[in-house]
Amino acid sequence: MRVLSYEADGWGVGEVWLQDDVLLNHELPRARSSRGRPAADGLAGRFRAFFAGERDAFADVELDLEWCTPFQ
């Protein structure tokens, strides 16, 4: 598993947790220090651009929903 951190101006630091390019978890940016390694591109870069105002549907991102109940 890879944990990538990104800084979103005006929001703070966010993290994405990836396993073989599948998104396992995304922590929204908030004021705190980074725990993962900084990410300059890829999915973390797309999140950074999103929080900077760019539009992105993230429709191509595969999600791990194994932990969800059918209701969720």
Side-chain angles (χ1 to χ4, degrees), residues 1 3-4 9 15-16 20-21 27-28 34 41-42 44-45 48-51 53 55 58-59 61 68-69:
M1 177 173 53
V3 178
L4 302 174
D9 289 339
E15 290 181 346
V16 291
D20 299 324
D21 293 326
E27 288 196 20
L28 294 173
S34 171
D41 58 357
R48 184 184 314 107
F50 177 82
F51 285 104
R55 297 178 66 93
F58 299 100
V61 178
C68 294
T69 67

Side-chain angles (χ1 to χ4, degrees), residues 5-26:
S5 298
Y6 64 94
E7 186 161 351
D9 289 339
W11 290 83
V13 177
E15 290 181 346
V16 291
W17 301 10
L18 303 168
Q19 181 75 43
D20 299 324
D21 293 326
V22 174
L23 180 62
L24 302 177
N25 187 35
H26 174 233

Side-chain angles (χ1 to χ4, degrees), residues 30-52:
R30 60 181 179 202
R32 64 180 165 80
S33 61
S34 171
R35 289 183 304 196
R37 59 188 172 106
D41 58 357
L43 185 56
R46 288 173 62 189
F47 280 124
R48 184 184 314 107
F50 177 82
F51 285 104

